[in-house]
Protein backbone atom coordinates (compact mmCIF):
# COMPACT_ATOMS: atom_id res chain seq x y z
CA UNK A 1 0.00 0.00 0.00
CA UNK A 2 1.56 3.27 -1.07
CA UNK A 3 0.87 6.56 0.66
CA UNK A 4 1.19 9.71 -1.35
CA UNK A 5 2.31 12.89 0.37
CA UNK A 6 1.24 14.94 -2.62
CA UNK A 7 -2.14 15.80 -1.08
CA UNK A 8 -0.78 16.68 2.36
CA UNK A 9 -0.80 20.39 3.14
CA UNK A 10 2.29 21.74 4.84
CA UNK A 11 1.84 22.70 8.48
CA UNK A 12 1.23 26.40 8.96
CA UNK A 13 4.37 28.31 9.81
CA UNK A 14 4.63 29.13 13.49
CA UNK A 15 5.82 32.70 13.92
CA UNK A 16 9.22 33.16 15.47
CA UNK A 17 9.87 36.29 17.46
CA UNK A 18 13.14 38.10 17.96
CA UNK A 19 12.09 39.24 21.44
CA UNK A 20 9.05 39.81 23.65
CA UNK A 21 8.37 43.21 22.12
CA UNK A 22 8.21 41.57 18.69
CA UNK A 23 5.52 39.16 19.98
CA UNK A 24 3.58 42.04 21.58
CA UNK A 25 3.69 44.14 18.43
CA UNK A 26 2.41 41.18 16.40
CA UNK A 27 -0.74 41.16 18.56
CA UNK A 28 -1.30 44.93 18.77
CA UNK A 29 -0.27 45.77 15.21
CA UNK A 30 -2.95 47.83 13.59
CA UNK A 31 -3.77 51.47 14.02
CA UNK A 32 -6.76 50.92 16.31
CA UNK A 33 -5.94 47.81 18.36
CA UNK A 34 -4.22 49.61 21.26
CA UNK A 35 -7.21 51.95 21.56
CA UNK A 36 -9.65 49.04 21.44
CA UNK A 37 -7.73 47.36 24.28
CA UNK A 38 -7.65 50.60 26.26
CA UNK A 39 -11.41 51.12 26.03
CA UNK A 40 -12.15 47.47 26.84
CA UNK A 41 -10.25 47.85 30.14
CA UNK A 42 -13.41 49.55 31.43
CA UNK A 43 -15.27 46.26 31.15
CA UNK A 44 -17.54 44.55 28.62
CA UNK A 45 -18.41 47.00 25.87
CA UNK A 46 -20.99 46.89 23.12
CA UNK A 47 -19.98 47.49 19.51
CA UNK A 48 -21.66 50.91 19.26
CA UNK A 49 -19.86 52.13 22.39
CA UNK A 50 -16.52 51.00 20.96
CA UNK A 51 -17.29 52.69 17.64
CA UNK A 52 -17.97 55.99 19.44
CA UNK A 53 -14.89 55.64 21.67
CA UNK A 54 -12.48 54.76 18.85
CA UNK A 55 -13.25 57.81 16.75
CA UNK A 56 -12.55 57.93 13.01
CA UNK A 57 -12.38 54.14 12.58
CA UNK A 58 -14.55 52.67 9.82
CA UNK A 59 -16.97 49.84 10.60
CA UNK A 60 -15.04 47.52 8.28
CA UNK A 61 -11.71 48.13 9.99
CA UNK A 62 -13.14 47.99 13.53
CA UNK A 63 -14.85 44.67 12.82
CA UNK A 64 -11.66 43.30 11.23
CA UNK A 65 -9.49 44.34 14.16
CA UNK A 66 -11.98 42.96 16.70
CA UNK A 67 -11.96 39.62 14.85
CA UNK A 68 -8.14 39.57 14.84
CA UNK A 69 -7.96 40.34 18.58
CA UNK A 70 -10.49 37.59 19.22
CA UNK A 71 -8.49 35.13 17.09
CA UNK A 72 -5.37 36.10 19.06
CA UNK A 73 -7.08 35.22 22.34
CA UNK A 74 -7.08 38.80 23.62
CA UNK A 75 -10.81 39.41 23.68
CA UNK A 76 -14.04 37.48 23.61
CA UNK A 77 -17.18 38.34 21.69
CA UNK A 78 -20.40 37.49 23.49
CA UNK A 79 -23.55 37.17 21.42
CA UNK A 80 -26.61 37.14 23.68
CA UNK A 81 -28.80 35.76 20.87
CA UNK A 82 -31.50 38.35 21.46
CA UNK A 83 -33.72 40.40 19.20
CA UNK A 84 -32.68 43.10 18.62
CA UNK A 85 -29.13 41.71 18.49
CA UNK A 86 -26.98 42.32 21.56
CA UNK A 87 -23.26 41.64 21.36
CA UNK A 88 -20.45 42.82 23.59
CA UNK A 89 -16.70 42.46 23.76
CA UNK A 90 -14.57 41.83 26.82
CA UNK A 91 -10.89 41.24 27.48
CA UNK A 92 -9.62 37.79 28.33
CA UNK A 93 -7.09 37.45 31.16
CA UNK A 94 -4.32 37.72 28.57
CA UNK A 95 -6.02 40.77 27.09
CA UNK A 96 -6.27 42.36 30.53
CA UNK A 97 -2.54 41.92 31.11
CA UNK A 98 -1.75 43.29 27.64
CA UNK A 99 -4.00 46.33 28.12
CA UNK A 100 -2.39 47.03 31.50
CA UNK A 101 1.03 46.79 29.85
CA UNK A 102 -0.06 49.61 27.50
CA UNK A 103 -0.94 51.93 30.41
CA UNK A 104 2.60 53.40 30.72
CA UNK A 105 2.42 54.35 27.02
CA UNK A 106 -0.89 56.08 27.71
CA UNK A 107 0.66 57.96 30.64
CA UNK A 108 3.63 58.98 28.47
CA UNK A 109 1.26 60.27 25.79
CA UNK A 110 -0.73 62.25 28.35
CA UNK A 111 2.42 63.80 29.83
CA UNK A 112 3.81 64.72 26.40
CA UNK A 113 0.62 65.50 24.48
CA UNK A 114 1.15 69.26 24.25
CA UNK A 115 4.76 68.83 23.11
CA UNK A 116 3.71 66.24 20.51
CA UNK A 117 0.91 68.50 19.20
CA UNK A 118 3.38 71.37 18.80
CA UNK A 119 5.96 69.10 17.14
CA UNK A 120 3.46 67.68 14.65
CA UNK A 121 2.02 71.12 13.89
CA UNK A 122 5.52 72.44 13.22
CA UNK A 123 6.43 69.44 11.09
CA UNK A 124 3.20 69.76 9.09
CA UNK A 125 3.73 73.46 8.43
CA UNK A 126 7.34 72.83 7.31
CA UNK A 127 6.09 70.15 4.93
CA UNK A 128 3.68 72.59 3.31
CA UNK A 129 6.45 75.15 2.72
CA UNK A 130 8.76 72.67 1.02
Amino acid sequence: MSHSLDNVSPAPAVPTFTCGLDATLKVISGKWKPLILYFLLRGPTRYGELKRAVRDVSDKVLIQQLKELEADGVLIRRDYREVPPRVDYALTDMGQSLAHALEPLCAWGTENMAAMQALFASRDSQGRRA
Side-chain angles (χ1 to χ4, degrees), residues 51-69:
K51 178 80 166 101
R52 285 187 295 279
V54 183
R55 292 177 292 185
D56 301 327
V57 65
S58 70
D59 284 311
K60 177 185 175 189
V61 171
L62 181 57
I63 290 166
Q64 175 188 354
Q65 298 214 335
L66 287 166
K67 284 181 180 181
E68 289 173 9
L69 289 168

Side-chain angles (χ1 to χ4, degrees), residues 69-122:
L69 289 168
E70 183 180 17
D72 291 341
V74 175
L75 64 80
I76 55 172
R77 178 185 186 270
R78 287 187 285 222
D79 185 343
Y80 292 89
R81 308 247 182 245
E82 295 177 353
V83 177
R86 183 166 68 112
V87 173
D88 68 25
Y89 297 87
L91 295 173
T92 62
D93 289 343
M94 188 168 68
Q96 287 273 339
S97 69
L98 177 56
H100 285 297
L102 294 173
E103 287 180 319
L105 290 175
C106 184
W108 183 91
T110 300
E111 291 166 11
N112 294 284
M113 193 178 304
M116 293 294 101
Q117 286 173 327
L119 176 76
F120 291 125
S122 172

